Amino acid sequence: MSARSLLSLATVVALASACGGDFDPASRIVSFRTVAMRATRVVPSDTCDAGLVAVADARPDRPPKLGKTNCDVSGSYAHPGDEVQLELLWHDPNPSAMRSWMWTTCLLPKSSSVFGCFQKLGEDFARLPPEQRVKLFDATRQRKGEAARAFETNDLVQPEPDGTKRDTRTLFRVQVPPDALVPLAGAPPQARAGATMGIVFLACPGNLVVNFEALSARNALPFKCLDPNTDEELGTDKFTIGIKRLFLREKDENQDPGILGVTWDGKAWPEDEVKEVVPSCDPGEARFDRCGDAEKHGVSVNLAPGFDQVGVDENGQEFHEQVVVQYYATEGLFEFDVKRAEVPGTKFAGRRTKTGDQTMWIVVRDSRGGVRWVERKFRVK
Amino acid sequence: MSRLDRARGRLAPTILSLVVAAAIPRVVHAQDGVPSGAAGAKVVPGDPGTKPSAPIPPKVKTKVEPTYPPEKLAKGEKSAVKLMLSIDVAGKVVDAKVTESGGPEFDAAALEAAAKLQFEPATLDGKPIPAKIPYRFTFDFQDVPKPPAPEDVAKPAPKIAGFAGKVRTPVEEGLAGATVTIVGPEGETRSAMTDAGGGFAFDKLAPGKWKITIEALGFDKLAVEEELLEGKVISAVYRPRLSGGAIDIEVKGERPPREVTVHTLETQEITRIPGTNGDALRAVQNLPGVGRPPGLAGILIIRGSSPLESNIFVEGTLIPIAYHFGGLSAVVPSELIERIDFRPGNFGPEYGRVHGGIIEIGLRSPKKDKFHGLVQFDLIDGRFLAEGPLDSKTRFAVAGRRSWVDVWLGPVLRKAGAGVSTAPVYYDYQMMVERDVSPKTTARLTLYGSNDRLAITLNAPAASDPTLGGDISTTTGFWRLQGRVETRLTDDIKWTNTAAYGADFISFNLGDLAFRLDSTPISWRSDVRAKLAKDTTLIAGMDYLYATYDVKLKAPPPPEPGQTPGPYFARPSREISGTGALYRPALYWMLDISPIKGLKLLPGVRLDYFRDTSTWEIGPRFAARYDIVQGFPRTTLKGGAGIYHQPPQPQEAIAPFGTPGLAPSRATHYAVGFEQEFTKQLEVSVEGFYKQLQKLVGRDLSETTTTGGVTYNNNGDGRVFGAEVLLRYKPDARFFGWVAYTLSRAERRLRPEDPMTLFVFDQTHILTMIGSVKLGRGWQAGARFRYVTGRMNTPNLGGVYDYDAGAYAAIPEVPPFQSRLPAFHQLDVRIDKEWKFTSWTLSAYLDVLNVYYRRNPEGVSYNYNYTQQEVVSGLPILPVLGLRGEL
C-alpha cells in the first residue's frame, strides 16, 4: 500500500503541477533574477581539446563579461584539481540598487538537494573556531555591496594574468580539491555517482551574514539577509539564493548542449535583429491560452546534433541525457515556458503591460548540469 | 443479541444470506384460525467466524397456553405480548424477555407460559445450537361467549371470502415470521404472522379489493392488491425481495466480541451511504477512528496512524491496496462482500505486523438457488456479476469491473489546459467456486486481483521541475489465488485453513526516474477454535507470510525528513536493485473465558518472527468486556491493552536500499469505553484510546555512503490519544444512520532530543453524520455531512534556485507541520429509486458529492519561486448517476 499511495500522491502532484495556477509565469522576469549558471573548466590552451561542441551563438558580451576560459569545456563534470569558472546569467532592472553578493561552495554534501548543500555549509561553519566565526560574521556584515565570501580558499577575486578584472558578481572561479574524491575511494558506485561540489550564489539587498543560530537545523538557511537600515532579517522572498552542482568524476566529461541558432516564426532570428511584437494579452493576464489571437509568434532554437548524450559513465551506470529548453522574457507570455529539446519550439505573445525594448533568453539545459543560453531583443509596440 | 452487538465489538461475521424460520405455534385463543409465529429468528451458529450452511430454527415440541388474566378476561380486554426467547441446545427456554409489552398482567402470564415451552433445538449441520427467537402470545377472547349486540342480530348474514397463501424467500423456502397485513375495501385491517412454512390465512373477509402488505426483517416491504370473491378462498404466493442484497441475520454464538472495538457494517448500510457510490470500503471511512484521506489519495488513516501502519485482509489474506486510483472505489466490489470488520486498535492476536488498524473483508458465498446476474454503470466505472449453482453442492461467482474515468477525465483535463492526453484506468476481477465437500467441510477457491494504470503524456515539462515532462506512467496491481477450507473436526473444534499465492507489482516512471517492484507473496493462515469447557474457548493458529521481491530503483537518494526533495532534474541518480525474500511466520493463542455471566476475559499472545530484521517479538494482548446491565437495554464496560510490533518497511531494513539491523517498531495500545443501548435500534459506543509508539524508523543522510544513500534508525517515538463516539441507529425497515465523532491527537518525533510535533496525519476533529430513509415506492434518500479538521501543512517560506534545473526548491518552515489548512466540511446526498419487474430489478441512484460546493482545501499551490500561494480546492459538486440491473 505504501508505494501505491506514494505513487498516487506523486501523480496527483504531477497533475497539479500540470494544471498550475494563475500566477505570473516563471518565464516573466521583471525584477532581479538569476537565471542560469554555466561552468567551464579552465584548461591551459596547449592541452585544450577545442571544438567539442559547435557554438554559433553563445551569450553575447554584456558588461561586465571580463572572464574567459582557454577552451570551451563544460565544467559541469569536473575532475579533482580542476579549476572551474562559473558564469552567471542574470537580469537586474535596477542595477543601481545596493546588493551584497556572496559565492561559496560545499564539497561532497550528503544529499544533492539544495538543502544537502546548506546542511554541509552549516556543518562547515559550525566547525569553525569561535573566533573565526565572529570574524567571518563581522567580515560579511562589513562588506556591503561587495562580493563577500565564506571560505578563504574560495577567494579568487583577483586580476587575470592578462590584466583583465573579473566581475565577481557574474564570474567566479573555484578549484576542485585534488583529493576531493579520496573520501569515496571505498564507497559503492552509486555513492561515487552522487559526488558533487555545490556552488552557492547569494545576492541580498542589504547585509549578508552567516546564520549561526540555525546551523544545526535541517532545513534552515545558513545565511541571513539583513535590512541595511534596521538590521531586521529580510524574508527569503527578498533576496536570491541559488545552487549549482559540479559533478565530481575521475574521468567522465560532459558537453554543454550547443545552440546553433534561434528562429522566429520559422525563420532565422539573428542576434542583432530586434523583432517587433504587437501585444495580444491583457496586462494582467498570466495564461497564454487566454490571450487573443491577434499576434502570436513561434520561437524555437536549433540545437547542435548530439545534444542528448548517451553512454555509460565511469561508475558503470547507463545514462541518457534529458535536455530541455527554457524560455524567459522581460515581458510577454509563452505558450510553454519549458519544452523538451526534441520539440523545442513554443509560441510567444506580448502583453500590454509594457512597451519598448525587451529581452528574451533561451536557456538549454541537459540533465547532467550542462547549460548554454542565447539572448535576443524584441520591441513591444 | 442484536445488530448492535455486532456494532459494539463482535469478531463474528454478522450478515448471513440465509433464511431462518422459527415455527412457533402459540397461543391462548385462536384468532381467525391464523397461527401465530415468530418473526425473523436470531440464530446462534456454532461459530460465526464461519458462515453456517443452513441453520434449522427451533420447533415447538410442547405447547403451553398461558393463563388469561382473570380481571382482563372479565373486562373483555385483548392483548398480545412479544417475547425474545433464548433456547439452549436441549431445546429448553433458558431466558425470556418481553420485547413488546401487552400490559403487566399479560406480560406476567406470557413469561410464565414461555418458561414451560419445550422446543426441538435449532441445528446447524445437524448439530444442536443455541438460538434466540421472537415469540408472541396473543390473548383473545374469541371463544369467550358474548351475547350478540342487538344491531348484529338485525343485520343480514355478511358476504364472506377467504384469503390464504405463502410467503417465500428467493430460495423458495417458507419465510416464517413475516407480518401480513390486509386492508379491506371498507378500511378493515387484519394482520397475521406467517408460520414456519411461511403460510398465512384469513377468513371471514368482505369480498372486494384488499391491499396486502408483507413485511419481514431483512426483506423489502411488499405491497400488492388482491380481489377477493364471495364464497371463495383466494390463494397466493409472495416472494419479497431481499433488502440490501442479503438477509440480515442476528448472530450470536460461541464467538462473542473479542476486541474492545470492532465496527461491522451491514450490507444495506454500505450500499446506501451517500457520497460513497455504494462502495463498501469507502463506507468504512465514515466510521469513528478513520481519518479523511487527502483528496484523491486512496489511503486509510486509522487513529492517527500512517497508512503504512494498517493492513487490509480478504478473509485472512493480506492485500497491498484497498482502493483504486484516487480512492474512487475499492479493489473488492461491494456485491461480493459479506461483511467488513474494522478494528481501529486493540485487535486480537490473530493479526499482527502492523500497529495501526485492521480491516478484514469477508466474501460472501455465491448464491445457490438459481443463476443471478448484475450489471451496473455509473460515472466512475462499469461492473458485472454472475453467480449461481453448478450442481447441488457447488456454486460459482464471476465478477469484474473497469473504470470509465479515462473516457471523460482526459477530455476534461485537456479542456482545462492541463496538457494531459490520457487518464487513469483501473479494473478488478473476482472468480469464486465454492463446494460443500461434506456436511462438515466447505471448500472455496477464489481468484481476485486489481490493476491500476496511469499513463500521462505532458506536452511540455513542468516549469517547477523539468523532470515532470513527457511520459509519466504508473502501474499498480496484485492478484491472489486463495483457497479456503473450513471443517468442523468435532462438535467443539473448528479448523479453518486459508492459503494464498499471488503477485504484487508496482512500477513508476517519471522522466529519468524509475521504480519497479515485483513481489510474489505466499500466505497461509491456519486457525483452530476449540471449546475447552463450557465457558472457555481456545483460539489458536499460525499466520505465515513468505514473499519474494525484485526491486529496481533509479532516483536520487531521498532527502532527510522535512527537507525539500526536488527539483529532480539534473540530480545525480543512483541505480540500485535487489532481490530476496521476506519470511514472517507467526503463532497466536487466545482464550475466551467467561468466569461469570456477562464477563468476558480475553487474554492472548502473538509470537512473530521477522527474518528481515532477524528478530522474534512477543505481543501479549488482553481485552475484557462486562455487561453491567444484562439484557435490554444492555450496558457494557470494555477495555484492553496490548503490544504490537511492526517490522520496518523492506526498503528501510534491507540492503542496498536500507540499513540492516533495524528493529521492529512497537506500539502499546490502551482502550477503555462503554456501550449503551437506548432502544432496540439506538445505541451509543464511547471509547478512549492511547497508543504509545516506540522505535519508530527515521532516517539520516548516510555518513558511510556519502552522497549515495541514507541511514535508517529506530530513534523515533510518538503517541496518539483520543476518544471516539458512535451514536448509531441500526437499520430497520425505514431508516439507518449514525453520528460518529473522533477527537484525537497524533504526535511524533524523529529523535528523543526533539520536541513532539504533530504528525502529518493528525486530524483533531472528525465528525460524520449519516442518515438514510426509505420513502416508499422504491425511493430512498440519504445525506452525509462531514467536518474534519484541516490537514497538517508546512508552509513554504520562499525558494532556493537550482541552476541545474532552472527551477526553485521550496524552503519549508521549520519545524514542519506547525499549521493546518482550513477545515474540511461537505454535504453529500444520495437518492435511490428501484423498479421491480417480474424477474429482475432495475435501480438507479444519484450520488451528489459536495452539494453546497464547499471549496475544500486539499493543498497549497505556489508560484515559481514560492513567494505567492493559493489554496487548491478539492472536488467541486460532483453528481454521479448510476444504473443497476439485477436478476
Side-chain angles (χ1 to χ4, degrees):
Chain A
M1 185 166 67
S2 58
R4 148 86 184 153
S5 305
L6 293 174
L7 296 185
S8 297
L9 287 173
T11 306
V12 171
V13 169
L15 285 172
S17 303
C19 294
D22 278 354
F23 300 116
D24 228 18
S27 61
R28 185 167 176 259
I29 300 178
V30 294
S31 59
F32 177 80
R33 284 267 293 277
T34 60
V35 179
M37 186 184 288
R38 182 173 179 234
T40 49
R41 283 160 55 194
V42 181
V43 182
S45 58
D46 55 346
T47 62
C48 174
D49 181 15
L52 289 175
V53 175
V55 181
D57 192 356
R59 176 173 180 256
D61 286 342
R62 51 169 295 162
K65 179 174 173 56
L66 304 174
K68 64 177 183 179
T69 58
N70 292 327
C71 188
D72 194 20
V73 178
S74 174
S76 58
Y77 270 52
H79 307 147
D82 277 354
E83 184 178 9
V84 178
Q85 175 164 289
L86 288 309
E87 181 186 3
L88 191 65
L89 171 61
W90 59 288
H91 173 71
D92 190 353
N94 184 15
S96 61
M98 189 205 78
R99 299 185 196 283
S100 298
W101 303 74
M102 176 185 280
W103 291 83
T104 189
T105 63
C106 61
L107 181 63
L108 295 181
K110 294 180 212 168
S111 167
S112 59
S113 72
V114 296
F115 287 99
C117 186
F118 288 148
Q119 193 168 354
K120 174 68 172 169
L121 281 174
E123 291 166 5
D124 290 345
F125 286 155
R127 275 197 286 269
L128 289 174
E131 62 275 12
Q132 288 192 29
R133 289 189 183 188
V134 174
K135 183 181 174 183
L136 183 63
F137 180 79
D138 290 342
T140 53
R141 281 198 64 178
Q142 291 165 4
R143 292 189 174 187
K144 293 180 180 177
E146 299 178 5
R149 60 182 178 78
F151 295 111
E152 294 292 334
T153 54
N154 292 334
D155 190 2
L156 297 174
V157 184
Q158 58 186 6
E160 293 291 300
D162 62 3
T164 59
K165 288 184 180 179
R166 181 183 305 112
D167 186 325
T168 56
R169 291 176 297 176
T170 58
L171 293 171
F172 179 67
R173 283 193 180 178
V174 64
Q175 180 94 31
V176 179
D179 58 352
L181 292 175
V182 171
L184 300 178
Q190 62 265 27
R192 294 198 300 275
T196 61
M197 182 176 190
I199 310 295
V200 181
F201 171 80
L202 296 99
C204 158
N207 300 321
L208 266 174
V209 299
V210 176
N211 188 7
F212 285 106
E213 299 87 345
L215 292 184
S216 60
R218 295 185 175 207
N219 260 348
L221 296 176
F223 311 99
K224 287 194 289 190
C225 178
L226 304 182
D227 185 285
N229 300 314
T230 65
D231 265 2
E232 296 268 330
E233 183 176 351
L234 297 175
T236 49
D237 58 326
K238 298 292 194 302
F239 63 105
T240 296
I241 312 170
I243 289 181
K244 177 175 178 56
R245 301 167 194 84
L246 303 183
F247 294 75
L248 303 184
R249 294 288 189 277
E250 295 285 0
K251 295 177 291 185
D252 285 344
E253 294 187 347
N254 185 26
Q255 295 178 6
D256 291 337
I259 302 175
L260 301 177
V262 180
T263 63
W264 176 270
D265 289 335
K267 297 177 181 175
W269 185 4
E271 182 182 346
D272 56 357
E273 182 177 332
V274 178
K275 295 290 184 183
E276 293 199 337
V277 175
V278 176
S280 56
C281 308
D282 292 333
E285 187 55 73
R287 280 178 53 174
F288 179 87
D289 58 351
R290 290 201 290 242
C291 295
D293 293 327
E295 193 172 318
K296 293 178 178 175
H297 301 279
V299 181
S300 188
V301 289
N302 294 324
L303 298 178
F307 56 82
D308 54 340
Q309 293 178 265
V310 181
V312 179
D313 67 16
E314 66 188 42
N315 296 304
Q317 189 167 310
E318 294 181 1
F319 67 90
H320 185 171
E321 284 183 345
Q322 287 182 287
V323 181
V324 295
V325 181
Q326 293 171 303
Y327 295 86
Y328 303 88
T330 51
E331 189 48 81
L333 296 172
F334 294 96
E335 182 182 25
F336 297 107
D337 290 354
V338 187
K339 292 284 286 186
R340 288 180 287 133
E342 293 81 2
V343 281
T346 188
K347 290 181 179 176
F348 176 75
R351 287 207 308 192
R352 299 186 184 91
T353 310
K354 279 197 296 189
T355 57
D357 291 344
Q358 307 294 335
T359 305
M360 180 185 295
W361 296 273
I362 304 172
V363 179
V364 183
R365 302 177 208 264
D366 70 40
S367 58
R368 296 198 301 159
V371 63
R372 287 186 192 273
W373 58 80
V374 293
E375 180 181 298
R376 292 290 184 270
K377 296 291 184 185
F378 65 96
R379 186 172 299 123
V380 179
K381 288 184 176 178
Chain B
M1 187 63 185
S2 65
R3 289 179 208 153
L4 53 156
D5 291 318
R6 284 171 285 155
R8 271 190 294 251
R10 298 286 148 99
L11 256 178
T14 53
I15 302 173
L16 303 179
S17 299
L18 305 169
V19 175
V20 180
I24 316 295
R26 38 104 210 172
V27 171
V28 182
H29 300 285
Q31 177 185 320
D32 297 338
V34 178
S36 292
K42 302 186 175 188
V43 177
V44 185
D47 187 330
T50 308
K51 189 175 71 174
S53 54
I56 307 298
K59 294 179 182 174
V60 172
K61 196 161 67 177
T62 305
K63 295 181 182 179
V64 176
E65 292 192 354
T67 306
Y68 209 123
E71 62 277 22
K72 299 295 181 185
L73 183 62
K75 295 177 183 176
E77 289 184 17
K78 304 176 186 177
S79 187
V81 179
K82 287 186 179 177
L83 303 175
M84 182 61 72
L85 304 183
S86 297
I87 302 165
D88 65 10
V89 294
K92 183 181 176 186
V93 177
V94 293
D95 189 31
K97 288 186 171 56
V98 175
T99 57
E100 192 172 309
S101 174
E105 294 85 355
F106 288 114
D107 291 353
L111 288 169
E112 182 183 357
K116 300 173 184 172
L117 287 167
Q118 274 290 332
F119 290 82
E120 291 177 9
T123 58
L124 175 64
D125 293 333
K127 175 201 165 197
I129 57 173
K132 277 192 174 183
I133 59 169
Y135 196 91
R136 186 182 69 164
F137 286 102
T138 301
F139 296 81
D140 199 344
F141 50 87
Q142 174 181 326
D143 293 340
V144 179
K146 287 199 299 182
E151 57 272 28
D152 290 339
V153 175
K155 284 183 179 175
K159 298 176 180 177
I160 59 171
F163 178 50
K166 286 188 178 295
V167 180
R168 295 187 181 278
T169 71
V171 293
E172 293 301 317
E173 294 171 343
L175 177 57
T179 300
V180 182
T181 304
I182 60 175
V183 180
E186 301 299 324
E188 179 190 359
T189 301
R190 302 266 290 272
S191 67
M193 299 184 77
T194 55
D195 60 20
F200 66 89
F202 298 92
D203 62 4
K204 301 176 183 174
L205 303 177
K209 287 187 177 177
W210 287 71
K211 292 177 180 174
I212 319 296
T213 306
I214 298 170
E215 295 175 278
L217 187 65
F219 293 82
D220 287 347
K221 184 177 178 180
L222 177 63
V224 294
E225 195 169 83
E226 301 286 0
E227 175 87 32
L228 304 187
L229 304 176
E230 181 181 353
K232 293 189 175 179
V233 176
I234 301 299
S235 181
V237 176
Y238 300 106
R239 296 177 181 82
R241 186 171 177 274
L242 296 173
S243 61
I247 297 174
D248 180 16
I249 300 299
E250 310 294 336
V251 179
K252 180 186 177 183
E254 299 167 9
R255 197 176 170 194
R258 291 188 176 124
E259 276 114 351
V260 180
T261 305
V262 54
H263 297 298
T264 301
L265 289 171
E266 300 182 17
T267 306
Q268 67 189 93
E269 292 174 303
I270 59 183
T271 56
R272 292 288 190 271
I273 294 175
T276 65
N277 283 349
D279 189 281
L281 271 176
R282 288 180 70 190
V284 172
Q285 296 173 351
N286 299 288
L287 292 172
V290 185
R292 190 186 76 86
L296 295 181
I299 57 177
L300 278 168
I301 302 168
I302 299 175
R303 280 189 179 170
S305 293
S306 159
L308 303 177
E309 295 164 355
S310 297
N311 269 347
I312 301 165
F313 295 90
V314 174
E315 298 190 324
T317 298
L318 180 68
I319 59 172
I321 55 173
Y323 301 100
H324 287 294
F325 177 84
L328 296 175
S329 60
V331 295
V332 181
S334 305
E335 292 77 19
L336 275 180
I337 292 179
E338 180 181 78
R339 67 174 204 286
I340 297 175
D341 291 337
F342 168 56
R343 300 174 174 87
N346 286 92
F347 43 86
E350 307 100 309
Y351 301 98
R353 304 190 188 108
V354 288
H355 50 58
I358 295 289
I359 289 179
E360 169 85 40
I361 299 170
L363 301 180
R364 67 172 176 81
S365 292
K367 293 176 181 174
K368 56 184 177 182
D369 59 317
K370 61 177 183 177
F371 289 101
H372 295 266
L374 177 153
V375 178
Q376 176 171 328
F377 296 95
D378 61 28
L379 187 66
I380 307 299
D381 58 39
R383 63 189 84 172
F384 79 95
L385 166 70
E387 60 182 326
L390 294 174
D391 57 39
S392 61
K393 294 182 178 180
T394 312
R395 49 264 175 203
F396 82 100
V398 179
R401 169 167 52 184
R402 188 199 186 278
S403 67
W404 298 108
V405 180
D406 54 318
V407 174
W408 58 267
L409 182 58
V412 168
L413 290 175
R414 277 195 293 275
K415 192 171 178 64
V420 177
S421 59
T422 187
V425 176
Y426 65 74
Y427 62 86
D428 58 61
Y429 51 89
Q430 302 79 30
M431 286 168 266
M432 179 190 295
V433 177
E434 187 178 83
R435 180 173 175 81
D436 300 325
V437 179
S438 74
K440 293 186 176 181
T441 302
T442 300
R444 177 190 285 183
L445 187 66
T446 311
L447 173 67
Y448 55 93
S450 161
N451 190 297
D452 283 48
R453 285 179 285 118
L454 172 64
I456 299 174
T457 300
L458 296 176
N459 295 336
S464 58
D465 187 345
T467 294
L468 301 173
D471 295 334
I472 301 174
S473 64
T474 77
T475 301
T476 306
F478 77 95
W479 61 266
R480 295 287 186 275
L481 179 62
Q482 177 178 296
R484 178 182 169 119
V485 178
E486 292 180 355
T487 187
R488 187 167 287 281
L489 300 176
T490 71
D491 288 347
D492 292 326
I493 300 177
K494 193 181 77 170
W495 187 22
T496 304
N497 280 279
T498 306
Y501 172 80
D504 300 338
F505 44 94
I506 300 171
S507 68
F508 181 56
N509 290 282
L510 176 62
D512 198 34
L513 315 180
F515 172 77
R516 179 167 183 87
L517 163 68
D518 291 286
S519 176
T520 307
I522 300 171
S523 62
W524 177 22
R525 181 180 288 270
S526 185
D527 183 279
V528 175
R529 303 189 174 221
K531 191 166 187 176
L532 304 180
K534 180 182 176 185
D535 299 321
T536 305
T537 300
L538 170 69
I539 299 100
M542 179 194 69
D543 177 8
Y544 174 98
L545 176 64
Y546 176 85
T548 63
Y549 62 82
D550 182 358
V551 185
K552 292 182 176 64
L553 171 71
K554 186 180 181 187
E560 285 197 75
Q563 287 191 346
T564 306
Y568 285 103
F569 189 80
R571 293 268 304 282
S573 292
R574 53 177 185 158
E575 193 170 331
I576 51 179
S577 60
T579 58
L582 301 176
Y583 177 54
R584 296 174 177 175
L587 299 172
Y588 59 85
W589 302 268
M590 182 166 68
L591 286 175
D592 182 339
I593 308 169
S594 299
I596 60 173
K597 189 176 181 184
L599 176 63
K600 186 168 292 297
L601 303 176
L602 298 152
V605 66
R606 181 181 173 96
L607 176 64
D608 274 293
Y609 176 70
F610 306 118
R611 191 173 72 176
D612 35 324
T613 58
S614 299
T615 52
W616 291 88
E617 300 291 350
I618 298 177
R621 297 165 196 185
F622 177 76
R625 301 174 60 88
Y626 180 51
D627 296 339
I628 56 175
V629 175
Q630 298 170 20
F632 178 81
R634 185 174 54 83
T635 303
T636 302
L637 293 180
K638 57 186 184 179
I643 293 176
Y644 301 81
H645 295 94
Q646 176 167 344
Q649 297 296 311
Q651 71 272 17
E652 295 169 340
I654 299 174
F657 306 96
T659 306
L662 284 184
S665 54
R666 168 181 151 139
T668 308
H669 291 198
Y670 304 94
V672 62
F674 70 93
E675 298 163 2
Q676 177 64 56
E677 289 179 336
F678 297 116
T679 70
K680 284 296 180 185
Q681 302 303 130
L682 190 65
E683 66 174 10
V684 69
S685 173
V686 179
E687 288 121 31
F689 64 90
Y690 181 87
K691 281 198 293 189
Q692 180 70 47
L693 307 171
Q694 297 166 294
K695 296 184 179 179
L696 296 177
V697 176
R699 64 175 185 254
D700 286 308
L701 292 176
S702 171
E703 290 287 357
T704 55
T705 58
T706 300
T707 68
V710 294
T711 299
Y712 293 91
N713 58 54
N714 281 113
N715 296 335
D717 64 354
R719 62 194 176 205
V720 187
F721 53 93
E724 296 164 0
V725 179
L726 178 63
L727 178 65
R728 188 180 190 190
Y729 188 94
K730 298 167 298 176
D732 62 15
R734 284 187 55 81
F735 182 80
F736 74 84
W738 66 76
V739 178
Y741 172 70
T742 304
L743 173 69
S744 73
R745 184 177 177 87
E747 299 174 328
R748 296 197 183 190
R749 60 185 172 188
L750 294 169
R751 297 174 290 201
E753 62 269 27
D754 294 342
M756 286 283 186
T757 57
L758 287 174
F759 187 44
V760 60
F761 294 108
D762 177 78
Q763 294 177 356
T764 307
H765 305 282
I766 307 169
L767 173 67
T768 305
M769 295 191 288
I770 289 174
S772 183
V773 60
K774 289 183 179 176
L775 303 172
R777 298 179 180 271
W779 287 94
Q780 183 167 354
R784 174 181 70 165
F785 175 77
R786 291 181 292 162
Y787 175 91
V788 184
T789 302
R791 289 175 46 211
M792 301 304 302
N793 181 45
T794 301
N796 291 316
L797 306 175
V800 177
Y801 192 63
D802 185 326
Y803 290 109
D804 294 315
Y808 285 78
I811 304 174
E813 186 181 59
V814 178
F817 304 127
Q818 297 300 297
S819 63
R820 293 181 185 275
L821 296 175
F824 169 95
H825 55 85
Q826 182 170 304
L827 176 67
D828 309 317
V829 171
R830 179 185 173 105
I831 299 170
D832 290 84
K833 168 64 178 169
E834 198 170 70
W835 296 270
K836 293 176 183 172
F837 302 96
T838 307
S839 58
W840 68 291
T841 302
L842 175 66
S843 52
Y845 69 84
L846 177 64
D847 216 340
V848 185
L849 279 69
N850 199 9
V851 170
Y852 58 81
Y853 192 19
R854 158 74 173 172
R855 294 173 186 269
N856 281 301
E858 297 289 1
V860 177
S861 172
Y862 291 88
N863 71 334
Y864 67 92
N865 63 353
Y866 297 92
T867 56
Q868 299 172 35
Q869 66 180 58
E870 65 180 18
V871 172
V872 176
S873 300
L875 289 173
I877 298 175
L878 180 63
V880 178
L881 179 65
L883 279 176
R884 176 180 177 128
E886 199 169 354
L887 286 172

